[in-house]
Amino acid sequence: METILIVGGRPETLVKARALGLRVVFLQHRDRMMPGHVEASDALFMVDYTDWELTRPIVDAIHSVYRFTAVMSLGEQAMETVGRINDRFGLGGTPEAVSTLYKDKLLMRAHLAEQGVPSAAAAEISGAADIEEFGRRYGYPVVLKPIDNTASRGVVIIERAEDVAAVWAEAVGLRERDDLVLGQFFPVGRYLAEEYLDGPEYSVESFSFDGTHSIVAITEKYTIGVVESAHALPARLTPEMDAEVADYVRSFHTAMGLRDGVAHTEIKITSKGPRVIESHDRLPGERIPDLVINAYGIDLEQYACAAPFGMLPVLPERPVATRAAATTFFRGEPGVVTGFQGTEKVLEDPDLIELDFFVRPGDRVVEVVDNFDRSGQVIVTGTDTAAAAATADRLAALITVETVPEPRP
């Protein structure tokens, strides 16, 4: 029996790996244990896997007993650890150096410039004066973001030079926060400024096989500010633009050194052509994998488990969708959640895939400043992208998250 080591993630990943006939050894952070993890694992070890000095001897012991021949994760915080394990045992998966390029947005920009892949200007920022200098050189708006964070945390679009001082003071304040969701995995540290990219935004879901990149789906992406508000696929692009985006993303992954596995790449189609915003050598979030399953019949999570063992066929370079799918997020007014309205009508809709609440009665709803602050989402299918997107928007509008003001201390 082949053995896979999975680092972090949800129980569903383990279930899919075992359904393939794999023996599953699971390495999880104790703060991220969920119901179902124990039952879905053949062996389970708890450690802060973001700390390599703690993790290395445990992984050595696991390998001496179980002789795993592949390691994978679908979580951002685990990818560099997975790279170190690949390097240590010569497993052939994505090495640490490549995973670091995907995680560190400043390194990514510098590397793309060296490789001649069109990208955007970027520079590390240590103070407001650096932002002002960047704005003088490249113009406004300027995008300010943490170098290695996630979920749009700390991302700000600075429209004018007059706003720089206030934005920088707020950005620095995030470093002192100890109440951020998943803050132990994604502390806010270094910042960079980036040249603003114009045009509509998309994400590109791909899977690579020995250096050949299958562009599985191009997803329309909608935002309110920098917070993602909806997704729909397949993207409504002309055949020519679809091919241009696919070619650009393939060249991007080749330049980054990715040879195997799933990737999620955010781009804009600018006035100069496709340009990458950022990319990740892991599964997309936002329930995009569920949209891909319903539109294309391709389970990227299953492929991530199976591909190292050759258990599933290599995907074509551009799979064809048979349906469409979409998701729209909803939010409540700031306060304490007391209940929900509209769920019955939503659950009756024949095109609903799932209604997913991120909050429960008693939870706090705060002002939405990043993707962690939304209240839930509806996930639907449809005959085409326009129909699916309209259904998702309509159902999301039916949901009311009821809140009351928080009591004063």
Side-chain angles (χ1 to χ4, degrees):
M1 177 182 289
E2 297 275 15
T3 300
I4 188 170
L5 174 64
I6 297 179
V7 183
R10 61 188 199 141
E12 290 87 344
T13 306
L14 313 183
V15 170
K16 290 178 182 181
R18 291 183 75 181
L20 291 164
L22 297 172
R23 179 168 60 177
V24 175
V25 180
F26 185 44
L27 197 65
Q28 179 63 306
H29 194 291
R30 68 178 185 178
D31 292 345
R32 300 299 295 164
M33 287 294 296
M34 303 176 189
H37 273 150
V38 173
E39 294 81 1
S41 307
D42 291 296
L44 186 151
F45 300 85
M46 284 192 291
V47 66
D48 179 0
Y49 53 73
T50 64
D51 185 330
W52 181 238
E53 293 307 309
L54 284 177
T55 303
R56 186 185 64 245
I58 292 175
V59 170
D60 287 348
I62 292 171
H63 189 260
S64 69
V65 174
Y66 293 100
R67 293 294 171 185
F68 54 84
T69 53
V71 56
M72 59 86 74
S73 180
L74 300 175
E76 180 85 8
Q77 65 271 21
M79 298 315 301
E80 287 182 296
T81 295
V82 167
R84 292 185 181 109
I85 296 171
N86 279 325
D87 292 346
R88 188 166 183 81
F89 298 106
L91 300 180
T94 301
E96 180 189 1
V98 173
S99 288
T100 299
L101 277 181
Y102 278 88
K103 184 178 181 183
D104 188 311
K105 300 171 180 64
L106 188 61
L107 282 179
M108 180 197 77
R109 294 292 186 199
H111 182 75
L112 293 179
E114 291 174 359
Q115 296 293 312
V117 176
S119 178
E124 186 166 1
I125 297 300
S126 59
D130 293 336
I131 303 174
E132 292 168 348
E133 173 58 29
F134 190 90
R136 282 192 293 269
R137 183 171 183 181
Y138 297 103
Y140 288 87
V142 169
V143 179
L144 180 70
K145 63 172 69 172
I147 284 176
D148 61 356
N149 223 276
T150 190
S152 297
R153 174 172 288 157
V155 179
V156 183
I157 299 173
I158 307 173
E159 300 286 350
R160 310 173 304 158
E162 293 84 352
D163 299 330
V164 167
V167 169
W168 178 247
E170 187 171 347
V172 171
L174 284 177
R175 293 173 174 168
E176 311 302 322
R177 295 266 303 270
D178 60 3
D179 61 337
L180 297 173
V181 177
L182 297 182
Q184 74 269 45
F185 296 115
F186 302 107
V188 178
R190 298 157 61 212
Y191 274 88
L192 79 157
E194 287 183 341
E195 180 184 7
Y196 179 77
L197 298 172
D198 62 354
E201 190 168 342
Y202 300 84
S203 69
V204 182
E205 327 315 330
S206 63
F207 205 99
S208 301
F209 302 86
D210 194 24
T212 298
H213 311 296
S214 171
I215 306 302
V216 177
I218 302 174
T219 306
E220 295 177 5
K221 181 177 177 180
Y222 298 91
T223 61
I224 299 174
V226 299
V227 178
E228 294 170 2
S229 59
H231 302 283
L233 59 78
R236 289 165 283 187
L237 299 174
T238 65
E240 294 78 14
M241 183 52 69
D242 188 289
E244 186 175 349
V245 168
D247 287 345
Y248 175 81
V249 173
R250 289 190 190 101
S251 65
F252 165 80
H253 288 312
T254 297
M256 292 285 280
L258 185 70
R259 296 193 58 79
D260 297 284
V262 68
H264 168 66
T265 306
E266 297 167 1
I267 68 161
K268 280 190 174 182
I269 299 179
T270 76
S271 54
K272 299 177 182 179
R275 296 291 186 271
V276 65
I277 301 171
E278 58 187 61
S279 185
H280 312 274
D281 58 333
R282 44 91 170 155
L283 206 67
E286 310 286 300
R287 301 294 295 273
I288 291 173
D290 294 297
L291 306 186
V292 172
I293 289 172
N294 281 276
Y296 290 86
I298 295 169
D299 188 336
L300 293 171
E301 188 173 34
Q302 183 188 48
Y303 259 89
C305 298
F309 306 98
M311 291 179 167
L312 291 175
V314 172
L315 293 170
E317 288 196 353
R318 195 70 182 90
V320 177
T322 57
R323 284 184 66 80
T327 182
T328 298
F329 297 88
F330 52 86
R331 59 181 77 184
E333 293 297 323
V336 177
V337 178
T338 59
F340 308 97
Q341 291 290 333
T343 57
E344 295 84 359
K345 288 185 178 180
V346 172
L347 293 172
E348 291 171 356
D349 194 283
D351 289 326
L352 180 73
I353 298 170
E354 190 171 343
L355 169 60
D356 189 6
F357 288 100
F358 307 157
V359 293
R360 297 175 295 180
D363 288 346
R364 293 174 62 239
V365 172
V366 299
E367 181 183 355
V368 176
V369 296
D370 60 40
N371 292 343
F372 289 118
D373 297 330
R374 299 163 305 186
S375 299
Q377 68 185 120
V378 293
I379 305 149
V380 307
T381 187
T383 54
D384 58 33
T385 305
T391 299
D393 289 345
R394 176 176 58 82
L395 296 185
L398 295 175
I399 298 293
T400 299
V401 181
E402 299 177 320
T403 61
V404 296
E406 289 193 73
R408 293 182 179 180

